Amino acid sequence: MSSIHVAKPDLSEGNVRLGTAGLGVQQGAGLVGIIGLVASAVIGFGGMFGTTPTFLMKSWTQNYMFVLAISLGALFFVFIQHLTRAGWSTTIRRPAELIAANLKWAWVGLIPFAALWLSGGGHVEGSDAAHSNWGPGVLFPWADLEALKVHHPAEYDIVAAKSAYLNSTFFWIRAIIYVTFWGVVSTWFLRTSIAQDATGDIRLTEKMQKWSGPIAIGFGLTITFAAFDWIMSLSPAWFSTMFGVYFFCGCCTCGFSVLIIAVLRLQALGRLKQVVNREHYQDMGKLLFAFGMIFWAYIGFSQYMLIWYANIPEETGWFLGRQIGGWGTLSFVLLFGHFVVPFVLLISKWTKRLSWYLLAAAIWMLFFGWFDLYWLIMPVVPADAMTAKTYMEVVEAHADASTHIFNPLNFTMLAGVGGIYLWMTIRRMRGSTLLAIRDPRLHEGLSFENQ
Amino acid sequence: MTTYETPVPGIEPTESQSEAVKIHGLLAEFESPGAVLKAAEQVRKAGYRWWDCCTPFPVHGLDGAMGIKPTILPIMVFFAGLAGLIAAFVLQAFTNSSGMTVWAMVWVTGYPYLISGKPLLSIPAFIPVMFELTILFAALTCVFGMFTMNGLPRLHHPLLGNKRFRRATDDRFYIVIEARDPKFFRTRTEAFLESLGAVAVEEVQD
């Protein structure tokens, strides 16, 4: 690779360090986060606006998955660059490493889950108010098989057969494996990369490249099973082998969107000047376009079509729950907002090279990444979906099924979890250089041009 | 290497090439990507239209220096894809969901056929074919559109007969100004290319 432009990068402190520039946003985000969490607790535990413990826990799960997806998407970005020995991305890899490093705290999101188990609450025999009592069954029906047996005997038979996998002990062993793996790997990438800032040692790059292969395998397995455990098992009778890949697409949507937003905001604050340019915008845009929209739609449709075609009640029930009442509208909003509209808006080359346009597209996609998780986690599969004779029978019985999308809890929880996450991310960015200043391939990234 | 007469400033070169061997154009050789980049900029500014650069590897910034306009190929590909999408839908809707008889070279009749209890017009079942035809039309348009716009396939190009030009695949960088360019004048263009720092300027025979 020959470069005729002699790149003179500005590697001064003022360009590669955030300093106090992000302090105001950081503090504001932290404040919004605390207020949001407190408000969510007040609304959720107080049962305001018709919320139930299940609704509160699902809302937590959704927003936890949202920030998790952002960091996992960033982690994917980091190791895929090492795996392919990419030169173009060296100038934007550090922000991705910093976002991914938030995974060190992924275990915190499991505390509410643990609280459910520790609350010791069980089911209420013979009453359909089982879910007004705290306990793991509030969120995970499989964790309270007794209650399931009483209230949904048809579903119980299917779920009980899965107890070799879906049981509390194994669930927690897996959860610990996931968060440990992500925390260790993302921290290792960040630390190794920062160590290279001081020494410029090329062997550090070689080491990261060497380990990226095994890490890719571990990443694929952990996010697949985490998606099974924390999202798919909310409807334990249902299953889709594609679900892990679907969640992976969601990670790419959220992670790449936040990476774009982070880089563009850093540039707006006068950092990473000259270092990141239109060529990098275009390629980040391409990645978002390819993984966050097209691959998402491809996997989402493949999953839908196989289930729609086979038409087996225990599989179709999950989609049925997303077609009744207001959910039918939300499903179309998701289809158009996550795929059709941004596909048209971002397909051209020039759109990905305009910073304001790309920023708007990334914010749009980030919102729909959140919305996708809402659509995955919040709906309740109607109990009669398994036993109904016809599709229309269920549709008519649940014609007034509410989506709760405008429930204030959704937004206070987003503000709470998102605010804390943003606070944490900016804090990390302020404590590190924003560019891998002595990466051996930095010159490739600096002189990178799309052909 | 042939030697050329020195161009006399102020005197318009005579167009007397019809008697000699018809030439394709002038080939100027440069030693570095930087030199060819600077030269390309000057050639563009001089207002030449029928000219090209040949380099052993992609030279960053050369497109900009040459002033190459964005290709219209993406627009063709987009509409071809759209056509594929619509064609696939119409084809399936007609053959699977309607009993209409239409004339498509011969008289054909749709055959509404109920498959596994699905509605006759089931979009989800049509999407894979719509997707495939979108890709097929778009990809074929892309490949053959590119061929057509580049004047391919062709069996021979005058440059390939030039011995000097062989180094275009190794370590030299070339600018070719073709004789059909309205600004092309044998001696003047040659002097111009030499003034750009070409290490050699040579005639390419057609």
Side-chain angles (χ1 to χ4, degrees):
Chain A
M1 197 77 185
S2 164
S3 158
I4 38 106
H5 293 303
V6 183
K8 286 178 199 136
D10 176 11
L11 298 182
S12 65
E13 288 281 299
N15 201 29
V16 301
R17 275 192 182 273
L18 192 51
T20 53
L23 192 60
V25 185
Q26 180 197 332
Q27 287 168 341
L31 192 65
V32 168
I34 290 166
I35 294 172
L37 286 182
V38 171
S40 305
V42 170
I43 294 171
F45 288 110
M48 293 158 73
F49 306 111
T51 52
T52 59
T54 301
F55 189 87
L56 175 67
M57 284 311 300
K58 281 194 165 184
S59 188
W60 169 266
T61 311
Q62 183 223 340
N63 287 288
Y64 169 46
M65 287 301 128
F66 176 57
V67 294
L68 194 64
I70 294 171
S71 282
L72 286 172
L75 178 62
F76 169 69
F77 180 84
V78 172
F79 76 70
I80 208 75
Q81 304 309 328
H82 284 303
L83 207 54
T84 55
R85 302 189 177 182
W88 72 272
S89 58
T90 44
T91 57
I92 52 169
R93 211 187 61 234
R94 179 59 54 79
E97 285 166 346
L98 291 163
I99 296 165
N102 287 338
L103 286 168
K104 188 161 85 175
W105 299 100
W107 60 272
V108 174
L110 296 175
I111 291 175
F113 293 178
L116 284 182
W117 261 270
L118 295 174
S119 71
H123 50 281
V124 180
E125 286 290 345
S127 145
D128 205 30
H131 287 177
S132 67
N133 215 15
W134 290 96
V138 161
L139 187 59
F140 298 109
W142 53 263
D144 196 354
L145 283 175
E146 296 300 314
L148 197 64
K149 193 174 190 174
V150 173
H151 304 298
H152 308 296
E155 202 176 343
Y156 169 80
D157 293 336
I158 300 168
V159 178
K162 300 181 181 180
S163 58
Y165 182 83
L166 285 180
N167 62 70
S168 300
T169 316
F170 195 23
F171 173 87
W172 279 103
I173 292 172
R174 291 193 305 265
I176 290 165
I177 291 172
Y178 309 150
V179 292
T180 311
F181 177 79
W182 299 332
V184 168
V185 165
S186 59
T187 309
W188 177 75
F189 271 122
L190 182 62
R191 285 206 184 141
T192 313
S193 183
I194 285 179
Q196 198 177 43
D197 283 356
T199 63
D201 189 353
I202 196 168
R203 280 172 301 178
L204 294 175
T205 297
E206 285 166 354
K207 196 165 78 173
M208 287 192 281
Q209 283 168 357
K210 190 178 86 180
W211 281 100
S212 285
I215 285 169
I217 296 170
F219 176 85
L221 289 173
T222 48
I223 75 159
T224 301
F225 285 99
F228 289 172
D229 285 3
W230 299 340
I231 307 178
M232 198 165 87
S233 85
L234 298 175
S235 312
W238 184 73
F239 60 92
S240 163
T241 48
M242 258 178 207
F243 200 81
V245 190
Y246 186 84
F247 180 65
F248 164 74
C249 302
C251 291
C252 293
T253 309
C254 298
F256 296 161
S257 298
V258 168
L259 179 61
I260 291 170
I261 295 168
V263 168
L264 291 176
R265 288 310 300 161
L266 286 172
Q267 288 208 303
L269 289 169
R271 304 301 189 275
L272 299 179
K273 287 280 171 195
Q274 302 152 27
V275 171
V276 181
N277 56 41
R278 288 174 164 214
E279 309 296 333
H280 302 99
Y281 301 164
Q282 193 193 339
D283 269 24
M284 287 193 289
K286 279 181 207 164
L287 279 173
L288 178 62
F289 184 74
F291 282 91
M293 292 172 208
I294 298 185
F295 193 48
W296 175 87
Y298 185 81
I299 295 298
F301 175 72
S302 302
Q303 179 172 276
Y304 178 79
M305 196 195 66
L306 289 180
I307 289 171
W308 173 83
Y309 231 122
N311 209 7
I312 301 167
E314 65 188 72
E315 289 181 349
T316 49
W318 191 83
F319 279 109
L320 197 52
R322 283 152 183 80
Q323 288 175 5
I324 50 177
W327 285 107
T329 314
L330 287 203
S331 296
F332 275 103
V333 170
L334 182 66
L335 171 64
F336 280 87
H338 204 305
F339 173 62
V340 179
V341 174
F343 177 84
V344 177
L345 292 182
L346 218 56
I347 191 169
S348 299
K349 180 180 177 181
W350 64 271
T351 58
K352 296 188 274 278
R353 296 169 73 89
L354 271 182
S355 62
W356 65 268
Y357 195 106
L358 185 65
L359 180 67
I363 293 170
W364 172 286
M365 287 313 294
L366 185 62
F367 171 76
F368 276 98
W370 179 85
F371 188 82
D372 184 28
L373 288 163
Y374 187 86
W375 182 85
L376 284 178
I377 290 169
M378 300 307 277
V380 179
V381 178
D384 52 354
M386 303 273 177
T387 49
K389 290 281 181 293
T390 65
Y391 171 76
M392 289 314 292
E393 192 181 302
V394 187
V395 171
E396 278 159 21
H398 299 276
D400 57 348
S402 171
T403 61
H404 304 288
I405 183 81
F406 295 115
N407 192 303
L409 180 61
N410 291 325
F411 302 101
T412 54
M413 195 64 96
L414 173 62
V417 178
I420 298 292
Y421 184 84
L422 185 58
W423 169 80
M424 187 159 71
T425 310
I426 299 176
R427 190 167 172 271
R428 199 181 297 286
M429 284 183 172
R430 290 183 50 239
S432 156
T433 45
L434 301 168
L435 180 70
I437 44 175
R438 295 183 70 180
D439 189 290
R441 290 202 184 85
L442 188 61
H443 65 280
E444 284 183 39
L446 290 167
S447 59
F448 164 63
E449 267 190 56
N450 283 290
Q451 280 300 321
Chain B
M1 188 185 155
T2 339
T3 50
Y4 301 103
E5 78 278 22
T6 348
V8 185
I11 294 175
E12 198 68 23
T14 50
E15 294 290 293
S16 59
Q17 273 134 22
S18 52
E19 290 173 19
V21 187
K22 209 179 167 209
I23 68 162
H24 170 72
L26 282 172
L27 178 72
E29 180 176 308
F30 296 88
E31 278 184 319
S32 72
V36 80
L37 196 71
K38 274 188 199 135
E41 193 121 343
Q42 294 307 314
V43 176
R44 170 170 62 81
K45 281 181 184 157
Y48 287 98
R49 299 222 171 271
W50 290 95
W51 64 288
D52 205 354
C53 296
C54 300
T55 60
F57 52 79
V59 174
H60 289 311
L62 195 56
D63 287 10
M66 291 175 70
I68 291 180
K69 290 194 187 71
T71 164
I72 60 156
L73 194 58
I75 297 163
M76 291 162 59
V77 170
F78 178 80
F79 283 103
L82 200 63
L85 188 83
I86 295 166
F89 177 78
V90 172
L91 178 71
Q92 291 176 98
F94 168 70
T95 52
N96 294 325
S97 323
S98 84
M100 281 193 300
T101 301
V102 295
W103 191 83
M105 312 285 221
V106 290
W107 287 100
V108 286
T109 306
Y111 192 75
Y113 192 63
L114 193 65
I115 300 162
S116 66
K118 300 287 191 282
L120 283 172
L121 192 73
S122 289
I123 305 278
F126 292 174
I127 284 181
V129 177
M130 288 161 74
F131 172 75
E132 296 301 341
L133 277 201
T134 306
I135 303 297
L136 182 71
F137 278 42
L140 290 180
T141 306
C142 192
V143 172
F144 290 107
M146 181 272 286
F147 271 33
T148 311
M149 291 165 83
N150 283 332
L152 294 172
R154 59 185 294 173
L155 297 173
H156 181 69
H157 192 278
L159 279 172
L160 299 177
N162 185 292
K163 283 207 172 90
R164 180 175 290 279
F165 187 69
R166 289 177 187 177
R167 286 178 80 177
T169 57
D170 183 13
D171 61 350
R172 287 296 158 100
F173 305 81
Y174 296 90
I175 289 181
V176 189
I177 299 181
E178 293 180 22
R180 59 179 156 172
D181 192 293
K183 294 217 169 201
F184 183 90
F185 294 106
R186 180 67 184 72
T187 43
R188 187 194 272 180
T189 302
E190 185 185 339
F192 171 66
L193 283 170
E194 272 165 358
S195 75
L196 297 178
V199 290
V201 179
E202 193 170 295
E203 196 174 83
V204 181
Q205 293 178 349
D206 210 356

